Amino acid sequence: MADLGEELLNYYAISQAAPGIIAINTATFVGYKRGGVLGAVIATAGMVTPSLIIITIIAIFFTRFQENIYVQRAFAGIRVAVSMLLIWTVTTLTKQTIKNLFGILIVVSAFSLVVIGGISPIPIILASAAVGIIHGYARKGGA
Amino acid sequence: MILLHLFAIFFKIGLFTIGGGLATLPLLQQEMLSRGWLTQAEFIDMIAISQSTPGPIGVNLATFVGFRLASYSGAVIATCALSAPSVIIIVLIARIFARLCPPAFCRRRLSQGLRPAAVGLITFTWFILGKSAVFFPIFPDAGWFDLSVFARLF
């Protein structure tokens, strides 16, 4: 049992750190461990199929819905709610993440680079990963 | 041709997304809006729809945009393209890298820089979306609020 628990934690840790959406990474990883490359492909396909079906159905009707005045008004309200949802995500993440000056510095530079500098998120993601690794080594002497 | 383009863009998004949930939004937003594949309002609507339907938001958006641009085959291609980098990289990691770099160690190192960057990028997404969903409907003439004018100074 202890082995299984540790294995699951490792799956999740790798899925978080590796490129790709966590949910897909975890599905691929578990699939690979249980059934090799074929298992990885099948598990991933299983993971995305519900989205594929449900969202395709929604997409078919979405254009027609959009023209409806009541739907338009409903979405005007929903957009405000989504905006608040993002604030909630930011505050939750901030509490979990920003514990020192280093964190604040990265938040501020990522935000200002993308808003004022107009830089794409990709180089920012790569640079912040590199900075995190270097910072980790510098502080703990490579331990 | 559009299928190839869809594949390339969603493969790129799959490759450079680290994390899950709303952390996938900044990259998706930038790629979708700059290509005109979704409008600002449609992007926000899709967040709402994705939050209230099963499935990760990135996958839902890939399916939606793929369907929009190239019907059923577009939906399948975009969704496969988004998952393809995960399948390749995770299989490689499971085979090779797990021995070289203990997962817990890798995560600690990476997340030190990545997590704060995610906070900054999501704030950016909120900033852009909040502007079009909340601020401009209330103050339609407040053009000065658009910080992107500063981009032209640099």
Side-chain angles (χ1 to χ4, degrees):
Chain A
M1 268 320 270
D3 280 349
L4 184 69
E6 196 180 326
E7 205 182 358
L8 275 172
L9 276 180
N10 282 347
Y11 288 170
Y12 191 66
I14 290 178
S15 301
Q16 263 195 319
I21 296 165
I22 293 178
I24 298 179
N25 286 350
T26 311
T28 306
F29 207 16
V30 173
Y32 178 80
K33 285 286 177 187
R34 296 289 168 254
V37 176
L38 185 68
V41 173
I42 298 280
T44 310
M47 174 79 222
V48 300
T49 305
S51 295
L52 204 52
I53 296 168
I54 294 166
I55 298 295
T56 301
I57 294 168
I58 288 174
I60 293 168
F61 295 107
F62 193 69
T63 323
R64 218 177 304 161
F65 275 143
Q66 263 183 325
E67 285 154 15
N68 184 304
I69 184 73
Y70 295 105
V71 173
Q72 280 173 17
R73 285 174 188 165
F75 268 108
I78 290 170
R79 280 174 209 145
V80 178
V82 169
S83 177
M84 296 305 122
L85 183 79
L86 286 171
I87 293 183
W88 178 77
T89 307
V90 168
T91 44
T92 314
L93 268 178
T94 302
K95 271 186 238 155
Q96 287 170 3
T97 309
I98 300 166
K99 287 168 183 147
N100 49 35
L101 189 67
F102 175 74
I104 297 170
L105 213 64
I106 292 197
V107 172
V108 172
S109 31
F111 180 76
S112 37
L113 278 174
V114 80
V115 171
I116 299 168
I119 293 169
S120 150
I122 293 176
I124 295 172
I125 290 166
L126 293 177
S128 62
V131 168
I133 292 168
I134 294 165
H135 177 77
Y137 275 111
R139 206 176 45 174
K140 281 168 194 153
Chain B
M1 215 38 227
I2 183 70
L3 288 181
L4 211 64
H5 196 196
L6 267 175
F7 190 91
I9 297 303
F10 279 101
F11 191 90
K12 185 168 100 180
I13 294 170
L15 189 60
F16 287 104
T17 294
I18 298 175
L22 296 175
T24 56
L25 288 181
L27 189 54
L28 277 164
Q29 179 192 36
Q30 198 241 358
E31 292 293 331
M32 297 303 104
L33 268 53
S34 68
R35 290 191 163 68
W37 287 359
L38 286 177
T39 66
Q40 194 89 260
E42 283 169 338
F43 186 75
I44 309 174
D45 296 349
M46 273 311 294
I47 298 174
I49 291 172
S50 294
Q51 286 288 329
S52 34
T53 52
I57 189 162
V59 180
N60 290 349
L61 260 164
T63 305
F64 185 81
V65 173
F67 184 84
R68 259 288 186 76
L69 294 177
S71 190
Y72 296 100
S73 47
V76 174
I77 292 285
T79 310
C80 287
L82 187 75
S83 349
S86 294
V87 175
I88 297 167
I89 291 166
I90 294 293
V91 168
L92 283 178
I93 287 176
R95 285 205 161 163
I96 307 158
F97 298 115
R99 255 169 285 162
L100 303 177
C101 177
F105 171 82
C106 282
R107 186 183 58 167
R108 216 171 39 238
R109 286 281 174 275
L110 273 172
S111 62
Q112 266 169 353
L114 278 173
R115 281 220 167 155
V119 173
L121 292 175
I122 297 170
T123 309
F124 159 71
T125 299
W126 163 76
F127 177 75
I128 300 294
L129 297 188
K131 211 169 61 183
S132 73
V134 185
F135 195 78
F136 281 129
I138 302 174
F139 308 103
D141 301 322
W144 50 266
F145 186 71
D146 192 354
L147 274 185
S148 62
V149 292
F150 290 115
R152 279 167 230 148
L153 300 176
F154 291 94

